[in-house]
Amino acid sequence: MERLQQLMRGMPGGGGMGGGGSSDAPTPDCAEKVHVSSLALLKMLKHGRAGVPMEVMGLMLGQFVDDYTINCVDVFAMPQSGTSVSVESVDPVFQMRMLD
């Protein structure tokens, strides 16, 4: 148990085992933001609701604003079906047609 506590002390925050590093140390900001348009959000929700017993897949269309921000303006549903066991892949011709 003592060996485990020594290993955990080396982790940020002391690993929750008491002691360790200070809690007021600055943490680096590496968060990313994704701005999703209202139309894209509604289309995602509709697509997700339509495929409730199965997994759904789609393509998000947008642009990079800066290193940490993405602006999503539209989404497209991809015709695929899948479960936790297997997934049928997307037709590449359909994918290219949607991008045109």
Side-chain angles (χ1 to χ4, degrees):
M1 185 68 172
E2 217 172 285
R3 175 80 176 130
L4 179 62
Q5 287 177 344
Q6 286 176 349
L7 289 173
M8 297 299 271
R9 274 192 212 114
M11 296 177 67
M17 302 281 283
S22 67
S23 62
D24 58 350
T27 56
D29 182 16
C30 58
E32 295 183 8
K33 296 179 188 175
V34 178
H35 298 275
V36 180
S37 72
S38 56
L39 174 65
L41 179 61
L42 287 173
K43 288 172 79 174
M44 280 190 271
L45 291 172
K46 182 180 175 185
H47 180 55
R49 181 68 72 150
V52 163
M54 306 286 271
E55 295 177 0
V56 295
M57 185 173 159
L59 177 72
M60 297 175 73
L61 182 67
Q63 60 189 3
F64 292 101
V65 177
D66 57 29
D67 289 340
Y68 297 105
T69 308
I70 300 171
N71 188 17
C72 175
V73 293
D74 203 0
V75 293
F76 302 101
M78 303 290 268
Q80 62 93 28
S81 61
T83 62
S84 61
V85 178
S86 68
V87 175
E88 295 178 19
S89 64
V90 177
D91 183 17
V93 175
F94 173 82
Q95 209 170 9
M96 289 308 296
R97 197 173 72 227
M98 290 303 288
L99 290 174
D100 289 338

Coordinates of all heavy atoms in Angstrom, one line a residue:
M1 N 0.8 -1.2 0.0 CA 0.0 0.0 0.0 C 0.9 1.3 0.0 O 0.5 2.2 -0.6 CB -0.9 0.0 1.2 CG -1.9 1.1 1.3 SD -3.1 0.9 -0.1 CE -4.2 2.2 0.3
E2 N 2.0 1.2 0.7 CA 2.9 2.3 0.8 C 3.5 2.6 -0.6 O 3.6 3.8 -1.0 CB 4.0 2.1 1.8 CG 4.4 3.3 2.5 CD 5.4 2.9 3.6 OE1 4.9 2.3 4.7 OE2 6.6 3.2 3.4
R3 N 3.8 1.6 -1.4 CA 4.3 1.8 -2.7 C 3.3 2.5 -3.6 O 3.6 3.4 -4.4 CB 4.7 0.4 -3.3 CG 5.1 0.4 -4.7 CD 6.6 0.9 -4.8 NE 7.0 0.8 -6.2 CZ 7.6 1.7 -6.8 NH1 7.9 2.9 -6.2 NH2 7.9 1.6 -8.1
L4 N 2.0 2.1 -3.5 CA 1.0 2.7 -4.3 C 0.8 4.2 -3.9 O 0.7 5.0 -4.8 CB -0.4 2.0 -4.0 CG -1.6 2.5 -4.8 CD1 -1.4 2.4 -6.3 CD2 -2.8 1.8 -4.3
Q5 N 0.9 4.5 -2.6 CA 0.8 5.9 -2.2 C 2.0 6.7 -2.8 O 1.8 7.9 -3.2 CB 0.8 6.0 -0.7 CG -0.6 5.6 -0.1 CD -0.6 5.6 1.4 OE1 0.5 5.6 2.0 NE2 -1.8 5.5 2.0
Q6 N 3.2 6.1 -2.8 CA 4.3 6.8 -3.4 C 4.1 7.1 -4.9 O 4.4 8.2 -5.3 CB 5.6 6.0 -3.2 CG 6.1 6.0 -1.8 CD 7.3 5.1 -1.6 OE1 7.6 4.3 -2.5 NE2 8.0 5.2 -0.5
L7 N 3.6 6.1 -5.6 CA 3.3 6.3 -7.0 C 2.2 7.4 -7.2 O 2.4 8.2 -8.1 CB 2.9 5.0 -7.6 CG 3.9 4.0 -7.8 CD1 3.3 2.7 -8.3 CD2 5.0 4.4 -8.8
M8 N 1.2 7.4 -6.4 CA 0.1 8.3 -6.5 C 0.5 9.8 -6.2 O 0.0 10.7 -6.7 CB -1.1 7.9 -5.7 CG -1.7 6.6 -6.1 SD -2.3 6.6 -7.7 CE -4.0 7.2 -7.4
R9 N 1.5 9.9 -5.3 CA 2.0 11.3 -4.9 C 2.6 12.0 -6.1 O 2.6 13.2 -6.2 CB 3.0 11.2 -3.8 CG 2.3 11.2 -2.5 CD 3.3 11.4 -1.3 NE 2.9 10.6 -0.2 CZ 3.5 9.6 0.3 NH1 4.6 9.1 -0.1 NH2 2.9 8.9 1.3
G10 N 3.2 11.2 -7.0 CA 3.8 11.8 -8.2 C 2.8 12.3 -9.2 O 3.2 13.1 -10.1
M11 N 1.6 11.9 -9.1 CA 0.5 12.3 -10.0 C 0.0 13.7 -9.7 O 0.1 14.1 -8.5 CB -0.6 11.3 -10.1 CG -0.2 9.9 -10.5 SD -1.5 8.8 -10.4 CE -2.6 9.4 -11.7
P12 N -0.5 14.4 -10.7 CA -1.1 15.8 -10.3 C -2.2 15.6 -9.3 O -3.1 14.8 -9.4 CB -1.7 16.2 -11.7 CG -0.9 15.4 -12.7 CD -0.6 14.1 -12.1
G13 N -2.2 16.5 -8.3 CA -3.2 16.5 -7.3 C -3.0 15.4 -6.2 O -3.8 15.2 -5.4
G14 N -1.9 14.8 -6.3 CA -1.6 13.8 -5.3 C -2.3 12.5 -5.4 O -2.3 11.6 -4.6
G15 N -3.1 12.3 -6.5 CA -3.8 11.1 -6.7 C -5.0 10.9 -5.7 O -5.5 9.8 -5.6
G16 N -5.4 11.9 -5.0 CA -6.5 11.8 -4.1 C -6.2 11.0 -2.9 O -7.1 10.6 -2.1
M17 N -4.9 10.7 -2.6 CA -4.6 9.9 -1.5 C -4.0 10.7 -0.3 O -3.4 10.2 0.6 CB -3.5 8.9 -1.9 CG -3.8 8.0 -3.0 SD -4.9 6.7 -2.5 CE -3.7 5.6 -1.8
G18 N -4.2 12.0 -0.3 CA -3.7 12.9 0.7 C -2.3 13.3 0.5 O -1.5 12.5 -0.1
G19 N -1.9 14.4 0.9 CA -0.5 14.9 0.7 C -0.3 15.2 -0.7 O -1.2 15.4 -1.5
G20 N 0.9 15.3 -1.2 CA 1.2 15.5 -2.6 C 1.4 16.9 -2.9 O 1.7 17.8 -2.1
G21 N 1.0 17.2 -4.2 CA 1.2 18.6 -4.8 C 0.2 19.6 -4.2 O -0.7 19.2 -3.5
S22 N 0.5 20.8 -4.5 CA -0.3 21.9 -4.0 C -1.6 22.0 -4.9 O -1.5 21.8 -6.1 CB 0.4 23.2 -4.0 OG 0.7 23.6 -5.3
S23 N -2.7 22.4 -4.3 CA -3.9 22.4 -5.1 C -4.1 23.8 -5.8 O -4.9 23.9 -6.6 CB -5.1 22.3 -4.1 OG -5.1 23.3 -3.2
D24 N -3.2 24.8 -5.5 CA -3.4 26.0 -6.2 C -2.4 26.2 -7.4 O -2.2 27.3 -7.9 CB -3.2 27.2 -5.2 CG -1.9 27.2 -4.5 OD1 -1.2 26.2 -4.6 OD2 -1.6 28.1 -3.8
A25 N -1.8 25.1 -7.8 CA -0.9 25.2 -9.0 C -1.7 25.4 -10.2 O -2.8 24.9 -10.4 CB -0.1 23.8 -9.1
P26 N -1.2 26.3 -11.1 CA -2.0 26.6 -12.3 C -2.0 25.4 -13.3 O -1.0 24.6 -13.4 CB -1.2 27.7 -13.0 CG 0.2 27.6 -12.4 CD 0.0 27.0 -11.0
T27 N -3.1 25.2 -13.9 CA -3.3 24.1 -14.8 C -3.3 24.7 -16.2 O -3.9 25.7 -16.5 CB -4.6 23.3 -14.6 OG1 -5.7 24.2 -14.7 CG2 -4.6 22.6 -13.3
P28 N -2.6 24.0 -17.2 CA -2.6 24.6 -18.5 C -3.9 24.5 -19.2 O -4.7 23.6 -19.0 CB -1.6 23.7 -19.2 CG -1.6 22.4 -18.5 CD -1.9 22.8 -17.0
D29 N -4.2 25.6 -20.0 CA -5.5 25.6 -20.7 C -5.3 24.9 -22.0 O -4.7 25.5 -22.9 CB -6.0 27.1 -20.8 CG -7.3 27.2 -21.5 OD1 -8.0 26.2 -21.6 OD2 -7.6 28.3 -22.0
C30 N -5.9 23.7 -22.1 CA -5.8 23.0 -23.4 C -7.2 22.6 -23.9 O -7.3 21.7 -24.6 CB -4.9 21.8 -23.3 SG -5.4 20.7 -22.0
A31 N -8.2 23.3 -23.4 CA -9.6 23.0 -23.8 C -9.8 23.5 -25.3 O -9.2 24.4 -25.7 CB -10.5 23.7 -22.9
E32 N -10.7 22.7 -25.9 CA -11.1 23.1 -27.3 C -12.5 23.5 -27.3 O -13.3 22.9 -26.5 CB -10.8 21.9 -28.2 CG -9.3 21.6 -28.4 CD -9.0 20.5 -29.4 OE1 -10.0 20.1 -30.1 OE2 -7.9 20.1 -29.4
K33 N -12.9 24.4 -28.2 CA -14.3 24.8 -28.3 C -14.8 24.4 -29.7 O -14.1 24.5 -30.7 CB -14.4 26.3 -28.2 CG -14.0 26.9 -26.9 CD -14.2 28.4 -26.9 CE -13.6 29.0 -25.6 NZ -13.6 30.4 -25.7
V34 N -16.1 23.9 -29.7 CA -16.8 23.6 -31.0 C -18.0 24.4 -31.0 O -18.9 24.3 -30.1 CB -17.1 22.1 -31.1 CG1 -17.8 21.9 -32.4 CG2 -15.8 21.3 -31.1
H35 N -18.2 25.4 -31.9 CA -19.4 26.2 -32.1 C -20.2 25.4 -33.1 O -19.8 25.2 -34.3 CB -19.1 27.6 -32.6 CG -18.2 28.3 -31.6 ND1 -18.8 29.0 -30.6 CD2 -16.9 28.5 -31.5 CE1 -17.8 29.6 -29.9 NE2 -16.6 29.3 -30.4
V36 N -21.5 25.0 -32.7 CA -22.4 24.3 -33.6 C -23.5 25.2 -33.9 O -24.2 25.7 -33.0 CB -22.8 23.0 -33.0 CG1 -23.8 22.2 -33.9 CG2 -21.6 22.1 -32.6
S37 N -23.8 25.3 -35.2 CA -25.0 26.2 -35.6 C -26.3 25.5 -35.2 O -26.3 24.3 -35.0 CB -25.0 26.4 -37.1 OG -25.3 25.2 -37.8
S38 N -27.3 26.3 -35.1 CA -28.6 25.7 -34.6 C -29.2 24.7 -35.6 O -29.7 23.7 -35.3 CB -29.6 26.8 -34.4 OG -29.8 27.6 -35.5
L39 N -29.0 25.0 -36.9 CA -29.5 24.0 -38.0 C -28.7 22.7 -37.8 O -29.3 21.6 -37.9 CB -29.2 24.6 -39.4 CG -29.5 23.7 -40.5 CD1 -31.0 23.3 -40.6 CD2 -29.1 24.3 -41.8
A40 N -27.4 22.8 -37.7 CA -26.6 21.5 -37.5 C -27.0 20.8 -36.3 O -27.1 19.5 -36.3 CB -25.1 21.9 -37.5
L41 N -27.3 21.5 -35.2 CA -27.7 20.8 -33.9 C -29.0 20.1 -34.1 O -29.2 18.9 -33.7 CB -27.8 21.8 -32.8 CG -28.2 21.2 -31.5 CD1 -27.3 20.2 -31.0 CD2 -28.4 22.3 -30.4
L42 N -30.0 20.7 -34.8 CA -31.3 20.1 -35.0 C -31.2 18.9 -35.9 O -31.8 17.9 -35.7 CB -32.3 21.1 -35.6 CG -32.8 22.2 -34.7 CD1 -33.6 23.2 -35.4 CD2 -33.6 21.6 -33.6
K43 N -30.3 19.0 -36.9 CA -30.1 17.8 -37.8 C -29.5 16.7 -37.1 O -29.8 15.5 -37.3 CB -29.3 18.2 -39.0 CG -30.1 19.1 -40.0 CD -29.2 19.7 -41.1 CE -29.0 18.7 -42.2 NZ -28.3 19.3 -43.3
M44 N -28.5 17.0 -36.2 CA -27.9 15.9 -35.4 C -28.9 15.2 -34.5 O -28.9 14.0 -34.3 CB -26.7 16.5 -34.6 CG -25.4 16.7 -35.3 SD -24.0 17.1 -34.3 CE -24.1 18.8 -34.2
L45 N -29.7 16.0 -33.8 CA -30.7 15.5 -32.9 C -31.7 14.6 -33.6 O -32.1 13.5 -33.2 CB -31.4 16.6 -32.1 CG -30.5 17.3 -31.1 CD1 -31.3 18.5 -30.5 CD2 -30.1 16.4 -30.0
K46 N -32.1 15.1 -34.8 CA -33.1 14.3 -35.6 C -32.5 13.0 -36.0 O -33.1 11.9 -36.0 CB -33.5 15.1 -36.8 CG -34.6 14.5 -37.7 CD -34.9 15.3 -38.8 CE -35.9 14.6 -39.7 NZ -36.2 15.4 -40.9
H47 N -31.2 13.0 -36.5 CA -30.5 11.8 -37.0 C -30.3 10.8 -35.8 O -30.5 9.6 -36.0 CB -29.2 12.2 -37.6 CG -28.4 11.1 -38.1 ND1 -28.9 10.1 -39.0 CD2 -27.1 10.7 -37.9 CE1 -27.9 9.3 -39.3 NE2 -26.9 9.6 -38.6
G48 N -29.9 11.4 -34.7 CA -29.7 10.5 -33.5 C -31.0 9.9 -33.0 O -31.0 8.7 -32.6
R49 N -32.1 10.6 -33.1 CA -33.4 10.1 -32.6 C -33.9 9.0 -33.6 O -34.5 8.0 -33.2 CB -34.4 11.2 -32.5 CG -35.8 10.8 -32.1 CD -35.8 10.4 -30.7 NE -35.6 11.5 -29.8 CZ -36.1 11.6 -28.6 NH1 -36.9 10.6 -28.1 NH2 -35.9 12.6 -27.8
A50 N -33.6 9.2 -34.9 CA -34.1 8.2 -35.9 C -33.4 6.9 -35.8 O -33.9 5.8 -36.1 CB -33.9 8.8 -37.3
G51 N -32.2 6.8 -35.3 CA -31.4 5.6 -35.2 C -31.3 5.1 -33.8 O -30.3 4.5 -33.4
V52 N -32.3 5.2 -32.9 CA -32.2 5.0 -31.5 C -31.7 3.6 -31.2 O -30.8 3.5 -30.4 CB -33.6 5.2 -30.8 CG1 -33.6 4.6 -29.5 CG2 -33.8 6.7 -30.7
P53 N -32.2 2.5 -31.7 CA -31.6 1.2 -31.3 C -30.2 0.9 -31.8 O -29.5 0.1 -31.4 CB -32.6 0.1 -31.8 CG -33.3 0.8 -32.9 CD -33.3 2.3 -32.7
M54 N -29.8 1.7 -32.8 CA -28.5 1.4 -33.5 C -27.6 2.6 -33.3 O -28.0 3.7 -32.8 CB -28.7 1.3 -35.0 CG -29.7 0.2 -35.4 SD -29.1 -1.4 -35.1 CE -28.4 -1.7 -36.7
E55 N -26.4 2.5 -33.6 CA -25.4 3.6 -33.6 C -25.6 4.4 -34.9 O -26.1 3.9 -35.9 CB -24.0 3.1 -33.6 CG -23.6 2.3 -32.4 CD -22.2 1.7 -32.5 OE1 -21.5 1.9 -33.5 OE2 -21.8 1.1 -31.5
V56 N -25.4 5.7 -34.8 CA -25.5 6.5 -36.0 C -24.2 7.2 -36.3 O -23.3 7.3 -35.4 CB -26.6 7.7 -35.8 CG1 -27.9 7.0 -35.6 CG2 -26.2 8.5 -34.6
M57 N -24.0 7.6 -37.5 CA -22.8 8.2 -38.0 C -23.1 9.3 -38.9 O -24.1 9.3 -39.6 CB -21.9 7.1 -38.7 CG -20.6 7.5 -39.1 SD -19.7 6.1 -39.7 CE -18.5 6.8 -40.7
G58 N -22.2 10.4 -38.9 CA -22.4 11.5 -39.7 C -21.2 12.2 -40.0 O -20.1 11.9 -39.5
L59 N -21.3 13.3 -40.9 CA -20.2 14.1 -41.3 C -20.5 15.5 -40.9 O -21.5 16.1 -41.1 CB -20.1 14.0 -42.8 CG -19.0 14.9 -43.5 CD1 -17.6 14.3 -43.1 CD2 -19.2 14.9 -45.0
M60 N -19.5 16.1 -40.2 CA -19.7 17.5 -39.7 C -18.9 18.4 -40.7 O -17.8 18.1 -41.0 CB -19.1 17.7 -38.3 CG -19.9 16.9 -37.3 SD -19.1 17.0 -35.6 CE -19.6 18.6 -35.2
L61 N -19.5 19.5 -41.1 CA -18.9 20.4 -42.1 C -18.7 21.7 -41.4 O -19.6 22.3 -40.8 CB -19.9 20.5 -43.3 CG -19.4 21.4 -44.4 CD1 -18.2 20.8 -45.1 CD2 -20.5 21.7 -45.4
G62 N -17.5 22.2 -41.5 CA -17.2 23.5 -40.9 C -15.8 23.9 -41.2 O -15.2 23.5 -42.2
Q63 N -15.2 24.8 -40.3 CA -13.9 25.3 -40.5 C -13.2 25.5 -39.1 O -13.8 25.6 -38.1 CB -13.9 26.6 -41.2 CG -14.7 27.7 -40.5 CD -14.9 28.9 -41.4 OE1 -14.6 28.9 -42.5 NE2 -15.5 29.9 -40.8
F64 N -11.9 25.5 -39.2 CA -11.1 25.8 -38.0 C -10.9 27.3 -37.9 O -10.5 28.0 -38.8 CB -9.7 25.2 -38.1 CG -9.7 23.6 -38.1 CD1 -9.6 22.9 -39.2 CD2 -9.8 23.0 -36.9 CE1 -9.6 21.5 -39.2 CE2 -9.8 21.6 -36.8 CZ -9.8 20.9 -38.0
V65 N -11.3 27.8 -36.8 CA -11.2 29.3 -36.5 C -9.8 29.6 -36.1 O -9.1 30.5 -36.6 CB -12.2 29.7 -35.5 CG1 -12.1 31.2 -35.2 CG2 -13.6 29.4 -36.0
D66 N -9.3 28.9 -35.1 CA -7.9 29.0 -34.6 C -7.5 27.6 -34.1 O -8.2 26.6 -34.4 CB -7.8 30.1 -33.6 CG -8.7 29.9 -32.4 OD1 -9.0 28.8 -32.0 OD2 -9.0 30.9 -31.7
D67 N -6.4 27.6 -33.3 CA -5.9 26.3 -32.9 C -6.8 25.5 -32.0 O -6.7 24.3 -31.8 CB -4.5 26.5 -32.2 CG -3.4 26.8 -33.2 OD1 -3.6 26.6 -34.4 OD2 -2.4 27.4 -32.7
Y68 N -7.7 26.3 -31.3 CA -8.6 25.6 -30.3 C -10.0 25.8 -30.5 O -10.9 25.5 -29.7 CB -8.2 26.2 -28.9 CG -6.8 25.9 -28.5 CD1 -5.9 26.9 -28.5 CD2 -6.4 24.7 -28.1 CE1 -4.6 26.7 -28.1 CE2 -5.1 24.4 -27.7 CZ -4.2 25.4 -27.7 OH -2.9 25.1 -27.3
T69 N -10.4 26.3 -31.7 CA -11.9 26.6 -32.0 C -12.2 26.0 -33.3 O -11.5 26.2 -34.3 CB -12.1 28.1 -31.9 OG1 -11.6 28.6 -30.7 CG2 -13.6 28.3 -32.0
I70 N -13.4 25.3 -33.4 CA -13.9 24.8 -34.6 C -15.3 25.3 -34.8 O -16.1 25.3 -33.8 CB -13.9 23.2 -34.6 CG1 -12.5 22.7 -34.4 CG2 -14.6 22.7 -35.8 CD1 -12.5 21.2 -34.2
N71 N -15.7 25.7 -36.0 CA -17.0 26.2 -36.2 C -17.7 25.3 -37.1 O -17.4 25.1 -38.3 CB -16.9 27.6 -36.9 CG -18.3 28.3 -37.0 OD1 -19.2 27.9 -36.4 ND2 -18.3 29.3 -37.9
C72 N -18.8 24.6 -36.6 CA -19.5 23.6 -37.4 C -20.8 24.3 -37.9 O -21.6 24.7 -37.2 CB -19.9 22.4 -36.5 SG -21.0 21.2 -37.3
V73 N -20.9 24.3 -39.3 CA -22.1 25.0 -39.9 C -23.1 24.0 -40.4 O -24.3 24.4 -40.6 CB -21.6 25.9 -41.0 CG1 -20.8 27.1 -40.4 CG2 -20.8 25.2 -42.0
D74 N -22.8 22.8 -40.7 CA -23.8 21.9 -41.2 C -23.3 20.4 -41.0 O -22.2 20.2 -40.7 CB -24.0 22.1 -42.7 CG -25.3 21.6 -43.2 OD1 -26.1 21.1 -42.4 OD2 -25.6 21.7 -44.5
V75 N -24.3 19.5 -41.0 CA -24.0 18.1 -40.8 C -24.7 17.3 -41.8 O -25.8 17.7 -42.3 CB -24.3 17.6 -39.4 CG1 -23.5 18.3 -38.3 CG2 -25.8 17.9 -39.1
F76 N -24.2 16.1 -42.1 CA -24.9 15.2 -43.0 C -24.9 13.8 -42.4 O -24.0 13.3 -41.8 CB -24.1 15.1 -44.3 CG -23.9 16.4 -45.0 CD1 -22.7 17.1 -45.0 CD2 -25.0 16.9 -45.8 CE1 -22.6 18.3 -45.6 CE2 -24.8 18.1 -46.4 CZ -23.6 18.8 -46.3
A77 N -26.1 13.1 -42.5 CA -26.3 11.8 -42.0 C -25.6 10.8 -43.0 O -25.6 11.0 -44.2 CB -27.7 11.4 -41.9
M78 N -24.9 9.8 -42.5 CA -24.2 8.8 -43.3 C -25.0 7.6 -43.3 O -25.4 7.1 -42.2 CB -22.8 8.6 -42.8 CG -21.9 9.8 -42.7 SD -21.5 10.4 -44.3 CE -20.0 9.6 -44.5
P79 N -25.3 7.0 -44.4 CA -26.1 5.7 -44.4 C -25.3 4.5 -44.0 O -24.6 3.9 -44.8 CB -26.5 5.6 -45.9 CG -25.4 6.3 -46.6 CD -24.9 7.4 -45.7
Q80 N -25.4 4.2 -42.8 CA -24.7 3.0 -42.2 C -25.5 2.5 -41.1 O -26.3 3.1 -40.5 CB -23.3 3.4 -41.7 CG -23.2 4.4 -40.6 CD -23.2 3.7 -39.2 OE1 -22.7 2.6 -39.1 NE2 -23.7 4.3 -38.2
S81 N -25.3 1.2 -40.8 CA -25.9 0.6 -39.7 C -24.9 -0.1 -38.9 O -23.9 -0.6 -39.4 CB -27.0 -0.3 -40.1 OG -26.5 -1.4 -40.9
G82 N -25.1 -0.1 -37.6 CA -24.1 -0.8 -36.7 C -24.6 -1.1 -35.4 O -25.6 -0.5 -34.9
T83 N -24.0 -2.0 -34.7 CA -24.3 -2.4 -33.3 C -23.0 -2.4 -32.6 O -22.0 -2.0 -33.2 CB -25.0 -3.8 -33.3 OG1 -24.0 -4.7 -33.8 CG2 -26.3 -3.8 -34.1
S84 N -23.0 -2.8 -31.4 CA -21.7 -2.9 -30.6 C -20.8 -4.0 -31.2 O -19.6 -4.0 -30.8 CB -22.0 -3.1 -29.2 OG -22.7 -4.3 -29.0
V85 N -21.4 -4.9 -32.0 CA -20.6 -6.0 -32.5 C -20.0 -5.6 -33.9 O -18.8 -5.9 -34.1 CB -21.4 -7.2 -32.6 CG1 -20.6 -8.4 -33.2 CG2 -22.0 -7.6 -31.3
S86 N -20.7 -5.0 -34.8 CA -20.2 -4.8 -36.1 C -20.8 -3.5 -36.7 O -21.9 -3.0 -36.3 CB -20.6 -5.9 -37.1 OG -22.0 -6.0 -37.3
V87 N -20.1 -2.9 -37.6 CA -20.5 -1.7 -38.3 C -20.3 -1.9 -39.8 O -19.3 -2.3 -40.2 CB -19.7 -0.5 -37.8 CG1 -20.1 0.8 -38.6 CG2 -19.9 -0.2 -36.4
E88 N -21.4 -1.6 -40.6 CA -21.2 -1.6 -42.0 C -20.6 -0.3 -42.5 O -21.1 0.8 -42.1 CB -22.6 -1.8 -42.7 CG -23.2 -3.2 -42.4 CD -24.5 -3.4 -43.0 OE1 -24.8 -2.6 -44.0 OE2 -25.3 -4.3 -42.6
S89 N -19.6 -0.3 -43.3 CA -18.9 0.9 -43.7 C -19.8 1.8 -44.6 O -20.7 1.3 -45.3 CB -17.6 0.6 -44.3 OG -17.8 -0.1 -45.5
V90 N -19.4 3.0 -44.7 CA -20.1 4.0 -45.6 C -19.6 3.8 -47.0 O -18.4 3.6 -47.3 CB -19.8 5.4 -45.1 CG1 -20.5 6.4 -46.0 CG2 -20.3 5.5 -43.7
D91 N -20.5 4.0 -47.9 CA -20.2 3.9 -49.3 C -19.4 5.2 -49.7 O -19.8 6.3 -49.6 CB -21.5 3.9 -50.2 CG -21.3 3.8 -51.6 OD1 -20.2 3.4 -52.0 OD2 -22.2 4.1 -52.4
P92 N -18.2 5.0 -50.3 CA -17.3 6.1 -50.6 C -18.0 7.0 -51.7 O -17.7 8.2 -51.7 CB -16.0 5.5 -51.1 CG -16.1 4.1 -50.9 CD -17.5 3.7 -50.5
V93 N -18.8 6.5 -52.6 CA -19.4 7.3 -53.6 C -20.4 8.2 -53.0 O -20.5 9.4 -53.4 CB -20.1 6.3 -54.7 CG1 -20.9 7.1 -55.7 CG2 -19.1 5.4 -55.3
F94 N -21.2 7.7 -52.0 CA -22.1 8.6 -51.3 C -21.4 9.7 -50.6 O -21.8 10.9 -50.6 CB -22.9 7.8 -50.3 CG -23.8 8.6 -49.4 CD1 -25.1 9.1 -49.8 CD2 -23.4 9.0 -48.1 CE1 -25.9 9.8 -49.0 CE2 -24.2 9.8 -47.3 CZ -25.4 10.2 -47.8
Q95 N -20.3 9.4 -50.0 CA -19.5 10.4 -49.3 C -19.0 11.5 -50.2 O -19.1 12.7 -49.9 CB -18.3 9.7 -48.6 CG -17.8 10.4 -47.3 CD -16.8 9.5 -46.6 OE1 -16.4 8.5 -47.1 NE2 -16.5 9.9 -45.4
M96 N -18.5 11.2 -51.4 CA -18.1 12.2 -52.3 C -19.2 13.0 -52.9 O -19.1 14.2 -53.1 CB -17.3 11.5 -53.5 CG -15.9 10.9 -53.0 SD -14.9 12.1 -52.2 CE -14.6 13.3 -53.4
R97 N -20.4 12.3 -53.1 CA -21.5 13.1 -53.6 C -22.0 14.1 -52.6 O -22.4 15.2 -53.0 CB -22.6 12.1 -53.9 CG -23.7 12.7 -54.8 CD -24.7 11.6 -55.3 NE -25.6 11.3 -54.2 CZ -25.9 10.0 -53.9 NH1 -25.4 9.0 -54.5 NH2 -26.7 9.8 -52.8
M98 N -22.0 13.8 -51.3 CA -22.4 14.7 -50.3 C -21.4 15.9 -50.2 O -21.8 17.0 -49.8 CB -22.5 14.0 -48.9 CG -23.7 13.1 -48.8 SD -25.3 13.8 -49.2 CE -25.5 14.8 -47.8
L99 N -20.1 15.7 -50.4 CA -19.2 16.8 -50.3 C -19.2 17.7 -51.5 O -18.8 18.8 -51.4 CB -17.8 16.2 -50.2 CG -17.5 15.5 -48.8 CD1 -16.1 14.9 -48.9 CD2 -17.6 16.5 -47.7
D100 N -19.7 17.2 -52.7 CA -19.8 18.1 -53.9 C -20.9 19.1 -53.8 O -21.8 19.2 -53.1 CB -20.0 17.2 -55.1 CG -18.8 16.4 -55.5 OD1 -17.7 16.9 -55.0 OD2 -18.9 15.4 -56.1

